[in-house]
Amino acid sequence: MHPFFRAIGLVRHYRGTLIACLACSLLVALLWGGNIGALYPVFQVILHNRSLPDWLDDELALRRRTLEELQAKIGQQPVGQQVALLNRQKAAEQAALERLMQLRPWVQRFAPRTAFGTLLAVMLVVLLATAVKDACLVGSIVLSARLNQLITRDLQQKLFSHVLRLDPAVFSRRGTAGMMSHMYQDINAIAGGMSQLFGSAVREPLKMVVCLAGAAFVCWQLLLLSLVLAPAAAVLLRLLGGSIRRATHRLLRENMRLQEVVLETFHGLQVVQSFGMESHEEERFVRKSWDCYRRAMRIAFYSSLAKPITELLGLAIVFVALLAGTHLVLNQQTTLLGIPFSDRPLELAELLVFYGLLIGAADPARRLSDIFGAVHSGIAAAERFFPVLEMQPVITDPPQPRSTGRPHRKICFDRVTFAYTDNQPVLQELTLEIPFGQTIALVGPNGSGKTTLLNLLLRFYDPLSGAVRLDEVDLREMALADLRSRIGVVSQQFPLFNDTVFENIRYGSPDATLQEVVEAARRAHCHRFIEEQLEHGYQTVVGENGSRLSGGQRQRIALARAMLRDPEILLLDEATSQVDVESEQLIHKALEQFKQGRTVILVTHRWSTLSLADRIVVLEKGRVVGDGTHQQLIETCPAYQRLREWTMLKSA
Ligand code: ADP
């Protein structure tokens, strides 16, 4: 199914609104055609200075005469094809006569007796009908806007919920900027296209259909002749639609790149400023925004072409009808170039109404050209958007999850090989066993795979080969919620939210009471500064990523958050990297107490932190190259010695 139809399918949840919207559009269309049809009695009055009852009587007399003539002709003809044709004509005339006879009592009773009165009555009816039509138009516009908003909300919620369940490997295929672009630009374009579709794109074609049906009622042969040019318009508009869709794809891509530049620069604003790269970033932004501008202008150009195409071809259609119809009326003929057009010569009033209806059909066609670009942009955005909803997380719960006792007995990395991208192994046949209750420190040069090891334990990724196990259970066999509820994490990759200190500590433990939050804060040695240094204590909002706090304060609140969950495994990734000496000592004190009765894995560059560890594991190029106490490693592990020399040199 085309992605745009999937978007349309969402509307089934709002059937009531859709039906009301379509009903309003239908009424608008009927009243639009009806108002133009009302020209007929007006022309009859103006051209012949008659009232409606007079016109009806004349019309009845004419039909009766025609019937008698037909009857006479049939009587004179021998039985054959000609008689069959005459009989058909007679039946049609008879039906028309009966319809008019039914109308007669109503017209006699209600219609004004003078030409002027008839004109006035028709005008009043048209005025009333226009008021009703406009009320329906308001209804149709408001209801289609409602659908637009509801669909936007639906799609945004769908995408948000979907992304929440994507693992990092799948998410990183689009990245934050990409997802933001799907969330806002794509969805806006889809909803914009849909609102046009359920509003103008239903209303205007309905108006066209009603007018064309009216024109066909007057003389369908003439209508067919006028529409010979319509396929040319259809082909041109189709080609144009393709160009708009392609240009929209490019624009959305460029917009995403622009968003990437913006997000990246805003996130790293201090880096940009400290390196004096403001002009460079400005240049990058300007270049990307010009790219977007060029793409947007191309779409504007293509969209603008729709109008002249419909206008020119619409005019040509009316001209064809005008030429042919005028020829028939002026010469009182019923055939053109040997082709029969009508049973009897057309009246001038009929021809004028026919033109009125054609123009009435041309106006919606012109309006349709306005929404043409919006609908095609919506189609292109849907083609981009829906594949994202189909992206499946690689990391999922097994059908029949297994579990292990709480607390676990050991964590085991068994010959684990892992790579983020093809051909670049980050962990190679890594084997490591950590018994429950042990605190281990992972050290190693940057890029040696320390954080990756934690990512595998949290099951953000699965190993390419080998297995990570909790006791004997492979993590892939465990329910994700079961696994992650056992683990607390303090890491720069797990920032604070722009909320109160209280809510940040309670994050992940939604049922925790204030007392429990305060207790966790005390254990993380942050209660004092929260009470004494923060203006509103636990109700202080910490700013984006805790920007209103110092590095040490942030770390301790993050530690309190992890501690509140009372995890059996605690992971600390560079937890003390940005902190002052006082905070570091407080964190150490907190960890000294908290690590009792849990497994703790510390990733650190700080030698002082190593004193917390029972055991140090040295990683290099994704392999364990040293495992033991500080003293053992100093004596036996060259990599550890290098690391120590380098760090001491750096801090000297
Ligand atoms: P460490 O924590 O020891 O500094 P990491 O585990 O963060 O090292 O990274 C190990 C290697 O994996 C590095 O070469 C890094 O560039 C790469 N890497 C880390 N995260 C990703 C990722 N999301 N996508 C691709 N490569 C990554």
Side-chain angles (χ1 to χ4, degrees):
M1 195 199 295
H2 189 280
F4 197 60
F5 289 119
R6 287 188 60 189
I8 293 173
L10 292 175
V11 182
R12 69 181 182 279
H13 303 304
Y14 309 109
R15 268 184 230 109
T17 308
L18 178 65
I19 291 169
C21 182
L22 294 179
C24 282
S25 297
L26 187 64
L27 276 175
V28 170
L30 287 174
L31 291 168
W32 170 263
N35 281 351
I36 297 174
L39 284 174
Y40 185 65
V42 173
F43 287 139
Q44 287 293 354
V45 167
I46 294 170
L47 294 177
H48 305 291
N49 191 16
R50 288 179 300 185
S51 69
L52 202 55
D54 294 342
W55 169 80
L56 194 59
D57 286 342
D58 291 353
E59 196 68 10
L60 281 171
L62 182 75
R63 303 267 166 187
R64 282 200 190 98
R65 259 202 321 278
T66 316
L67 262 178
E68 279 162 18
E69 281 167 19
L70 279 171
Q71 188 58 49
K73 269 191 200 165
I74 291 167
Q76 288 160 11
Q77 296 279 337
V79 179
Q81 234 179 15
Q82 190 67 21
V83 173
L85 184 70
L86 288 171
N87 271 329
R88 267 207 304 279
Q89 280 180 18
K90 188 183 149 198
E93 280 298 321
Q94 186 73 44
L97 183 70
E98 274 162 23
R99 272 200 303 274
L100 290 174
M101 289 289 284
Q102 279 167 359
L103 214 60
R104 193 162 181 271
W106 294 93
V107 171
Q108 291 289 351
R109 195 157 160 208
F110 296 110
R113 304 256 145 224
T114 62
F116 192 73
T118 305
L119 185 64
L120 203 66
V122 172
M123 281 177 164
L124 276 176
V125 169
V126 170
L127 208 64
L128 193 70
T130 306
V132 175
K133 185 196 78 161
D134 286 343
C136 292
L137 187 63
V138 171
S140 154
I141 292 170
V142 170
L143 289 168
S144 64
R146 179 181 148 86
L147 283 175
N148 176 355
Q149 291 304 321
L150 289 170
I151 287 164
T152 303
R153 206 192 59 89
D154 256 18
L155 287 178
Q156 286 185 334
Q157 194 191 324
K158 261 189 201 311
L159 181 64
F160 191 74
S161 307
H162 184 69
V163 170
L164 280 179
R165 284 158 188 83
L166 286 183
D167 41 88
V170 179
F171 179 81
S172 63
R173 279 185 223 152
R174 287 292 199 283
T176 311
M179 285 302 180
M180 296 286 272
S181 149
H182 292 307
M183 181 65 103
Y184 295 107
Q185 280 149 25
D186 291 6
I187 291 180
N188 280 350
I190 295 172
M194 302 265 284
S195 94
Q196 297 285 14
L197 192 69
F198 292 116
S200 313
V202 168
R203 200 169 53 239
E204 301 305 329
L206 270 178
K207 279 157 76 176
M208 272 174 77
V209 167
V210 169
C211 287
L212 292 178
F217 184 71
V218 175
C219 183
W220 63 265
Q221 296 90 336
L222 192 56
L223 179 69
L224 271 188
L225 178 74
S226 343
L227 292 182
V228 284
L229 291 172
V235 169
L236 283 176
L237 289 175
R238 198 182 150 80
L239 289 176
L240 206 57
S243 303
I244 292 176
R245 283 207 298 277
R246 279 191 296 279
T248 304
H249 271 297
R250 285 188 208 115
L251 174 67
L252 290 170
R253 231 182 2 250
E254 289 304 332
N255 267 331
M256 190 178 87
R257 297 209 175 111
L258 182 68
Q259 205 156 357
E260 267 166 13
V261 172
V262 173
L263 278 178
E264 220 170 77
T265 311
F266 287 0
H267 271 143
L269 194 60
Q270 281 151 333
V271 183
V272 174
Q273 290 170 347
S274 60
F275 281 85
M277 295 296 277
E278 292 90 339
S279 309
H280 168 78
E281 293 302 337
E282 210 168 321
E283 210 176 285
R284 220 154 66 103
F285 178 85
V286 169
R287 218 174 30 240
K288 294 280 170 216
S289 68
W290 273 113
D291 285 345
C292 290
Y293 164 83
R294 276 192 286 274
R295 304 284 179 208
M297 285 314 296
R298 187 164 294 186
I299 295 177
F301 172 66
Y302 288 144
S303 302
S304 72
L305 285 183
K307 194 167 223 148
I309 290 175
T310 45
E311 209 159 84
L312 275 173
L313 285 167
L315 203 63
I317 286 170
V318 173
F319 280 0
V320 170
L322 194 64
L323 284 174
T326 311
H327 178 81
L328 290 174
V329 171
L330 288 183
N331 299 310
Q332 284 295 292
Q333 284 182 356
T334 56
T335 59
L336 189 69
L337 304 174
I339 306 165
F341 262 68
S342 56
D343 303 332
R344 59 182 173 77
L346 284 173
E347 282 183 46
L348 186 57
E350 283 175 321
L351 193 64
L352 289 176
V353 170
F354 184 85
Y355 294 145
L357 287 166
L358 271 194
I359 293 165
D363 180 68
R366 189 182 55 78
R367 281 172 203 252
L368 269 182
S369 67
D370 285 341
I371 62 167
F372 191 74
V375 172
H376 279 279
S377 292
I379 294 173
E383 283 165 358
R384 245 171 69 94
F385 177 80
F386 281 98
V388 180
L389 284 191
E390 273 155 24
M391 286 163 83
Q392 290 302 321
V394 182
I395 308 293
T396 51
D397 275 330
Q400 276 157 350
R402 289 177 62 198
S403 190
T404 184
R406 282 177 189 249
H408 62 282
R409 281 170 282 110
K410 62 178 180 188
I411 299 168
C412 180
F413 290 85
D414 183 7
R415 297 163 64 93
V416 169
T417 297
F418 176 74
Y420 290 101
T421 46
D422 297 343
N423 308 326
Q424 280 204 317
V426 172
L427 300 179
Q428 303 183 55
E429 299 263 321
L430 183 140
T431 296
L432 179 64
E433 198 171 295
I434 309 163
F436 174 72
Q438 200 169 63
T439 297
I440 75 156
L442 292 178
V443 297
N446 281 336
S448 55
K450 303 181 293 293
T451 305
T452 305
L453 211 67
L454 305 191
N455 284 341
L456 291 183
L457 186 55
L458 280 158
R459 215 183 152 216
F460 287 142
Y461 302 89
D462 281 336
L464 293 183
S465 67
V468 186
R469 296 197 188 90
L470 212 55
D471 298 341
E472 276 71 43
V473 184
D474 190 322
L475 298 190
R476 285 170 286 210
E477 295 173 318
M478 286 182 80
L480 283 168
D482 176 15
L483 170 70
R484 290 178 185 164
S485 68
R486 297 165 184 257
I487 305 177
V489 191
V490 181
S491 157
Q492 285 164 36
Q493 287 165 356
F494 289 62
L496 300 183
F497 291 94
N498 190 5
D499 204 339
T500 60
V501 170
F502 175 72
E503 289 301 341
N504 265 296
I505 295 180
R506 212 163 68 132
Y507 196 80
S509 318
D511 300 326
T513 61
L514 177 62
Q515 205 183 354
E516 286 164 335
V517 168
V518 170
E519 181 52 34
R522 273 190 219 282
R523 287 209 278 175
H525 290 281
C526 54
H527 176 69
R528 248 176 76 189
F529 95 78
I530 294 172
E531 288 283 88
E532 290 171 11
Q533 293 175 25
L534 300 185
E535 202 182 345
H536 304 291
Y538 281 87
Q539 295 310 317
T540 309
V541 175
V542 301
E544 198 178 333
N545 192 14
S547 59
R548 291 187 206 139
L549 304 172
S550 74
Q553 292 173 338
R554 268 202 298 272
Q555 294 284 6
R556 278 184 280 156
I557 290 180
L559 190 59
R561 175 170 69 182
M563 285 176 165
L564 183 60
R565 278 164 68 84
D566 192 21
E568 56 189 89
I569 302 166
L570 183 66
L571 308 181
L572 286 104
D573 191 354
E574 300 282 17
T576 55
S577 64
Q578 302 175 349
V579 300
D580 51 85
V581 178
E582 192 203 341
S583 284
E584 189 187 346
Q585 282 169 353
L586 289 173
I587 289 172
H588 281 192
K589 236 164 100 181
L591 287 175
E592 257 331 324
Q593 292 158 4
F594 193 71
K595 70 178 197 166
Q596 308 304 328
R598 319 172 194 268
T599 307
V600 180
I601 306 179
L602 307 163
V603 170
T604 184
H605 282 148
R606 296 200 163 213
W607 292 105
S608 52
T609 310
L610 295 184
S611 61
L612 290 168
D614 306 318
R615 177 180 156 204
I616 300 166
V617 174
V618 187
L619 292 191
E620 203 171 62
K621 294 185 182 151
R623 293 178 202 273
V624 175
V625 292
D627 188 345
T629 61
H630 173 70
Q631 205 49 47
Q632 287 166 343
L633 290 170
I634 283 283
E635 285 162 15
T636 59
C637 178
Y640 189 73
Q641 288 157 5
R642 274 200 304 278
L643 212 58
R644 181 157 169 77
E645 277 161 26
W646 184 79
T647 327
M648 284 175 72
L649 220 61
K650 207 174 74 166
S651 56

